[in-house]
Amino acid sequence: MSEWLRKIRERAEKALEKKAKYGPDIDLSKYSRIEINEIDDIIGLASEPAKRIGLSDREVSNAGYVQVNEKIWHGIIVEGLKRQGVIITSTGEALKKYSWVRDYYWRNISVDLDKYTAATELYSNGRGYFIYVPPGVKVKVPVYTCLFITSSWEAQFVHNIVIVGDGAELNLITGCVVPHKIVGALHVGVSEFYVGRNAKLSFAMIHAWNKGVHVRPRTSVRVMDGGSYISYYLVHSDVASIQAYPSVKLDRDAKTHMASIILGSSNSIYDMGSEAVLQGENSSAEIVSRVIGRDESWIAARSRIRAFTSPSRGHIECLGLPLSKKATIIALPELESRVEGAELTHEAAIGKIAEEEIEYLMSKGFTEEEARALILRGFMRVEVPGLPLQTQRLIDATIKLLTEKATG
Amino acid sequence: MLLDVVNLVVEVRGRRVLKGINLRIGKGEVHVIMGPNAAGKSSLLASIMGLRKYHVVEGKILFEGEDITGRPSYERALKGIALSYQIPPPIKGLKVKDFVSAILSKYKCSVDYFIGKMLEVDYLMDRYLFVGFSGGERKRMELYITLLPHPKLAMLDEPDSGVDIDSINKIADVISILAENKTSILLVTHTGHILSRLVDKGSIDVVHLMMNGKIVFSGIPDEIIPLVFKYGYKEAIEKLQRLDKNE
């Protein structure tokens, strides 16, 4: 093992017991890692859960990166992009092949942040996707990455790295999927994204976990001068617990728009945050979340904008809608300024479906249930400027499907 | 008879808003309701539509001979009754085009491009329903939505209030066409513009004057409208009732 890697591993080992700041603590020793089989099985296996997030077989087999449990499968799409100099591979392969990749490995996020980042370093064995888009190359067609867990009591650790060169563009869609039969699993995904000068990265995540699964993503994004990062996060399934607090650091003239839509159900715990750090002049951030609490779900929607420079602007909008007496929604917008002249605002509200809206829709011929579905669909629909049309369509279709069955 | 309202008494949160209304509208007839604020005009329309806070205490509503008094509003809508709200609520996140297609598939009907063109609503299709609409846009859109399912009875609650003159003209044109096409109309309005246009075309069959939850006078437009505009509601009603008695 080379010296630089050994140093990282040492730090990781020391942090293996370090609890995370938020979310229930997970005993990592309860989970094992199991390997499996052939791509055909995977598509078959993946079909059921993939449909839950709106992906068809074709999309799964065309995906840029597919990982089932701990096995990695690359899609056909990769060949076409190769000609443009785009690299899609596993992080492990990338580290072996290109020495410069180490400059992006644990640079945006500390390996000893908590036990989950530490365990990812020690147990991921190079798994996770690595995507590099050369400067000036605009990849318009969304690249799908899918991660599947198919065995119970499995822990999936992945370390993803995405580098979008200066003036380049990449649109990512990712879905992590777990079939209904899985009773217990752990997913930890570390993601380090680097968005170059005047580059653009959009990242849509549509997730369907299930009751027994704990999820601990650790995401950090650096956006260089004039770049933009757009993220859209939709979680609409049961989960044992999910805790995430992705952070986006913005240089001069850089901007971000982060949207999280959480449709909570059963007794799941969702502790979801978004952080933007305005560190370059004229940087701006908009963080939007929509939270629906059903059953006995517990949902914390955290968001934080920190300004270290001015002029800079940030706005948080967090709207919650409890649909059950036993659901808990906590909206926690945080604004922090270390300078004079930053403009930071927030709007947080927890409300109910307006009776007059239901009444209006019913008078137009819709049953109460249909009226609620139309309103919920509207509530969950967040305009995210900069998302490609295909991505937006996939999201709209998913939300339509969800609201039709979510009104009970 | 298309609509037959019999001795209707309605309460809203215990307050009596309609105090024994009798109203019969035949197929293709155009009825206008006029009256001062709080006379119960909007309450009458809302009660016929079946909005939930309007509790029928006495009387009944028949539509095409069927008693619909206890039926929910969506059932009445599907039977062919439509209400154009005076102030429809903005619904954030619901795109106009999505709502329009939901209505079209619910009623298995198709878009009336002509009405759409006349009301100039095309450019609003990508917007959220009534969110940030101007007065005129709101009225034109609400009328468009109301007419989408081709209702048998269109109840229009002040389609011309708070609207610029261009929008009023478009709305008046559409109402005239509806009347010509034999859609029954129950129209609440205060302003002369739509009325004079409908009167000119001879579209209006009956004008009802309402006050304190009652229809106090019904008659032909030529008899009533000039008096209302000359003397105001209160005096006009007194004069009309006196005339009535003398006859």
Side-chain angles (χ1 to χ4, degrees), chain A residues 266-305:
Chain A
S266 74
N267 56 354
S268 310
I269 295 170
Y270 309 81
D271 191 322
M272 305 289 296
S274 302
E275 180 187 67
V277 181
L278 308 174
Q279 58 186 25
E281 264 175 45
N282 233 0
S283 54
S284 64
E286 180 150 3
I287 299 174
V288 174
S289 54
R290 294 282 188 280
V291 178
I292 295 176
R294 294 175 300 167
D295 309 328
E296 292 166 46
S297 53
W298 186 98
I299 308 166
R302 305 176 193 275
S303 27
R304 179 158 60 213
I305 299 179

Side-chain angles (χ1 to χ4, degrees), chain B residues 120-182:
Chain B
E120 280 183 36
V121 290
D122 283 355
Y123 73 98
L124 295 165
M125 289 294 155
D126 261 320
R127 299 264 297 271
Y128 294 135
L129 193 60
F130 304 124
V131 177
F133 279 31
S134 73
E137 287 172 338
R138 196 163 61 188
K139 293 288 190 188
R140 284 185 279 123
M141 180 57 73
E142 172 64 352
L143 186 58
Y144 175 74
I145 286 167
T146 304
L147 301 180
L148 265 181
H150 307 287
K152 294 171 187 164
L153 172 65
M155 300 190 290
L156 313 176
D157 194 355
E158 301 197 23
D160 48 353
S161 66
V163 167
D164 58 276
I165 197 78
D166 291 342
S167 289
I168 288 190
N169 284 334
K170 285 165 196 155
I171 289 165
D173 287 342
V174 168
I175 295 174
S176 307
I177 290 170
L178 279 183
E180 281 163 26
N181 291 343
K182 295 294 168 202

Side-chain angles (χ1 to χ4, degrees), chain B residues 14-81:
Chain B
R15 194 171 55 87
R16 202 154 277 211
V17 291
L18 298 180
K19 302 166 182 170
I21 298 280
N22 289 290
L23 174 68
R24 288 160 70 85
I25 300 177
K27 191 174 183 311
E29 288 179 4
V30 176
H31 290 233
V32 172
I33 298 179
M34 301 179 78
N37 289 335
K41 307 182 296 294
S42 295
S43 295
L44 176 57
L45 267 50
S47 302
I48 296 170
M49 192 70 243
L51 302 192
R52 291 196 281 204
K53 67 176 180 179
Y54 296 85
H55 297 289
V56 174
V57 182
E58 256 181 77
K60 59 186 174 181
I61 303 165
L62 305 175
F63 189 69
E64 295 183 311
E66 188 188 340
D67 189 344
I68 57 164
T69 314
R71 310 311 305 161
S73 60
Y74 65 88
E75 280 186 22
R76 303 183 196 206
L78 296 173
K79 285 181 196 299
I81 302 177

